[in-house]
Amino acid sequence: MNQTASELLRGYAVGLTHVGRVREENQDAYFVDESKGVFAVMDGAGGMKDGALASGLVKNALNTIHVPRSAEDLLEQFEGRVILAKEQIEHASQQANGAAMGTTIAALLTFGGNFACLWAGDSRVYRLRNGRLEQLTTDHTEAQELVDQNVLTIEEARNYARRHVITRAIGSGIDLELELVSGNLRSGDRFLLCSDGLTGHLDDATIGTFLMTAAPNSSARDLLNGALECGGSDNVTVVIVDIDGVGSGEGAILR
């Protein structure tokens, strides 16, 4: 993330989360701070105990980030807070007699005219630019590894029995390894951060249509409702970030 002084763009965000139609507890969490350029979605890792605690600890850690002095400062602060959250998750696991705890994360950092995406697990970041939707993250899952090895096709991976098995997370007993991509922002860019409760039900073409056809509040609600109408088998969370947009949206928790 290298700042270009002449480019001072800002992200305006709206976030929504829903427990879904099957689960009893929402283990997703999201974080939005427009003034600091930090946006994130966390999904308490499937199959792990206390996923809500893990995702909440990450959210609380991100809330302690200070207004950054530079892009490098923002990246350092973010990585430091994630390390802190992992330590807290490890401690919570020890207090629970070694119970496994973990969460995915998909984060967008913006500063000046630049952005960075950092992630671990299968929560995703998309970018809509000039009518073209691009997935910026690559799932850290067993299914994706098999796709990369040409063992499964993308369509086969969507129905793979172990498609929800993640290979990276912020969790107890798991080495912390965040992947990072970065690039330049453009006015008019729209980013989507989401948990797999969305992408498990809606394909990229449908997601792109919802993102292109409405204001951020309406797009977020349409995406969430689309996942619910397709079964809502998991918690679902979406955060939409418009770059250099007008106004900002308030996040909400739907029950």
Side-chain angles (χ1 to χ4, degrees):
M1 288 177 70
N2 297 313
Q3 180 188 12
T4 301
S6 61
E7 296 178 307
L8 297 175
L9 302 175
R10 180 170 174 175
Y12 298 91
V14 57
L16 296 174
T17 187
H18 196 289
V19 68
R21 301 201 182 280
V22 176
R23 304 292 177 87
E24 295 183 357
E25 180 184 35
N26 192 346
Q27 296 191 349
D28 285 3
Y30 71 87
F31 179 82
V32 167
D33 193 324
E34 297 169 344
S35 66
K36 298 168 188 173
V38 182
F39 314 91
V41 165
M42 287 73 65
D43 177 0
M48 291 187 177
K49 183 179 179 181
D50 292 328
L53 175 60
S55 60
L57 286 171
V58 175
K59 178 177 180 176
N60 291 342
L62 296 180
N63 197 43
T64 66
I65 291 176
H66 304 300
V67 175
R69 300 183 301 275
S70 65
E72 292 76 12
D73 177 43
L74 177 57
L75 183 59
E76 289 177 5
Q77 286 196 65
F78 176 85
E79 291 176 335
R81 294 331 190 261
V82 172
I83 291 171
L84 172 62
K86 174 176 167 53
E87 293 172 350
Q88 293 173 334
I89 291 170
E90 295 278 9
H91 178 72
S93 172
Q94 293 172 3
Q95 296 296 107
N97 298 316
M101 297 181 189
T103 180
T104 70
I105 187 168
L108 172 69
L109 309 181
T110 65
F111 189 92
N114 301 280
F115 76 88
C117 294
L118 298 97
W119 75 99
D122 59 358
S123 295
R124 295 180 181 178
V125 180
Y126 290 87
R127 179 182 62 195
L128 180 67
R129 172 178 284 179
N130 296 329
R132 178 175 177 266
L133 184 69
E134 179 182 5
Q135 183 180 330
L136 299 179
T137 57
T138 302
D139 294 349
H140 297 137
T141 61
E142 187 176 290
Q144 184 62 50
E145 289 184 352
L146 292 174
V147 170
D148 294 341
Q149 296 164 12
N150 295 318
V151 175
L152 296 177
T153 66
I154 294 175
E155 184 57 36
E156 288 171 341
R158 289 184 66 87
N159 301 302
Y160 179 56
R162 291 170 56 84
R163 63 188 178 277
H164 298 301
V165 176
I166 59 175
T167 55
R168 295 192 198 181
I170 306 171
S172 59
I174 304 171
D175 291 337
L176 179 58
E177 188 176 0
L178 297 176
E179 192 165 351
L180 182 150
V181 297
S182 60
N184 296 324
L185 295 169
R186 293 183 188 173
S187 181
D189 282 347
R190 173 170 285 188
F191 291 87
L192 168 69
L193 290 70
C194 61
S195 62
D196 70 329
L198 179 76
T199 54
H201 287 297
L202 303 182
D203 60 22
D204 285 5
T206 303
I207 290 171
T209 298
F210 282 132
L211 286 176
M212 282 188 282
T213 57
N217 283 281
S218 297
S219 288
R221 190 168 294 276
D222 288 345
L223 287 165
L224 189 147
N225 287 339
L228 295 178
E229 290 168 4
C230 289
S233 61
D234 198 356
N235 309 147
V236 56
T237 300
V238 299
V239 171
I240 293 177
V241 185
D242 279 355
I243 300 302
D244 207 22
V246 178
S248 61
E250 293 295 330
I253 296 178
L254 305 185
R255 303 186 186 278

